[in-house]
């Protein structure tokens, strides 16, 4: 089954993050119920892959001021049929930043989020089941702003809250700061 690798990653994530049980259970149920969960054409929602990109020192994260959503977010996008969501996150990181060289940090999923996307240009509101991976930029950190962004910015991890109140973003900040302390 093309969904099994993602289901295996979700099971591993569930063991590491029991406090997120409700979101994880909803995520697993969606993936199990919807064979076409990786397709943007699934109007109730679909899988997206995102990258929480750290600089080589681990003190800054690369954020995009997303053009359509008008908010500071991590980089990422639609799976568009690709079941390897980590590959989606890497592809989106490259396309949206212009950076080429990344190292995947940690094992498996870094964070999960389910968020409602508002209706836009005839596409009804729907959910993004966002699978997030932790990446480190290993080459140049000179980014290029793509069409999808108003801006990109390297932001000190402890200053992300000055740009957003989004709880999923702040959860990733807490995870990041916790890992820096240990």
């Amino acid at each position: 089954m093309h969904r099994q690798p993602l289901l295996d990653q979700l099971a591993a994530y569930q063991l590491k993050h029991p406090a997120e049980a409700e979101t994880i259970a909803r995520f697993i149920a969606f993936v199990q119920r919807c064979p076409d969960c990786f397709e943007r054409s699934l109007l109730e929602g679909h899988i997206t892959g995102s990258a929480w990109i750290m600089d080589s020192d681990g003190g800054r994260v690369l954020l995009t001021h997303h053009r359509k959503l008008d908010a500071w977010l991590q980089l990422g996008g639609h799976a568009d049929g690709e079941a390897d969501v980590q590959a989606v996150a890497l592809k989106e990181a490259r396309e949206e930043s212009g950076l080429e060289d990344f190292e995947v940090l940690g094992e498996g999923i870094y964070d999960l989020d389910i968020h409602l996307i508002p209706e836009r240009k005839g596409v009804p509101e729907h959910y993004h089941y966002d699978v997030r991976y932790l990446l480190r930029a290993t080459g140049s950190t000179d980014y290029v702003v793509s069409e999808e962004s108003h801006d990109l910015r390297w932001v000190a991890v402890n200053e992300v809250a000055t740009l957003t109140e989004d709880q999923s973003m702040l959860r990733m900040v807490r995870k990041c700061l916790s890992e820096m302390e240990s």
Side-chain angles (χ1 to χ4, degrees), residues 15-179:
L15 294 174
K16 291 192 291 189
H17 300 282
E20 299 176 39
E22 184 179 322
T23 298
I24 299 166
R26 189 172 156 204
F27 220 109
I28 290 171
F30 171 74
V31 173
Q32 288 175 330
R33 182 173 50 78
C34 299
D36 53 348
C37 62
F38 300 105
E39 299 292 343
R40 180 187 316 222
S41 58
L42 181 60
L43 292 182
E44 75 176 82
H46 35 263
I47 301 293
T48 56
S50 290
W52 185 251
I53 303 171
M54 304 296 301
D55 66 5
S56 60
D57 296 332
R60 298 182 304 162
V61 63
L62 185 61
L63 300 181
T64 176
H65 188 210
H66 195 278
R67 186 173 298 278
K68 291 179 185 173
L69 298 175
D70 194 29
W72 286 98
L73 302 168
Q74 76 286 342
L75 286 69
H78 292 94
D80 286 330
E82 174 60 64
D84 182 346
V85 188
Q86 181 176 294
V88 171
L90 282 161
K91 177 179 83 67
E92 294 292 335
R94 289 181 178 108
E95 288 178 0
E96 293 184 9
S97 72
L99 303 180
E100 289 295 324
D101 302 314
F102 296 101
E103 170 188 12
V104 178
L105 300 178
E107 292 186 27
I109 297 168
Y110 183 64
D111 191 68
L112 290 174
D113 191 57
I114 303 169
H115 49 270
L116 190 62
I117 300 297
E119 182 276 329
R120 185 171 189 276
K121 293 187 176 181
V123 177
E125 75 176 10
H126 59 279
Y127 286 97
H128 278 183
Y129 289 78
D130 197 30
V131 184
R132 298 161 173 184
Y133 295 89
L134 180 60
L135 306 181
R136 180 189 333 248
T138 56
S140 171
T141 56
D142 296 335
Y143 55 78
V144 176
V145 178
S146 77
E147 293 181 359
E148 298 193 27
S149 303
H150 288 297
D151 195 9
L152 291 176
R153 185 183 305 171
W154 284 106
V155 180
V157 174
N158 60 0
E159 294 178 6
V160 171
T162 65
L163 297 176
T164 183
E165 295 178 1
D166 180 271
Q167 290 306 302
S168 74
M169 294 284 291
L170 299 179
R171 182 179 57 244
M172 288 190 291
V173 166
R174 287 190 299 275
K175 286 178 180 179
C176 206
L177 292 174
S178 173
E179 289 174 11

Side-chain angles (χ1 to χ4, degrees), residues 1-14 27-33 38 109:
M1 175 203 303
H2 69 290
R3 293 169 286 157
Q4 194 58 53
L6 177 57
L7 289 167
D8 292 345
Q9 286 186 49
L10 291 167
Y13 184 82
Q14 189 171 32
F27 220 109
I28 290 171
F30 171 74
V31 173
Q32 288 175 330
R33 182 173 50 78
F38 300 105
I109 297 168

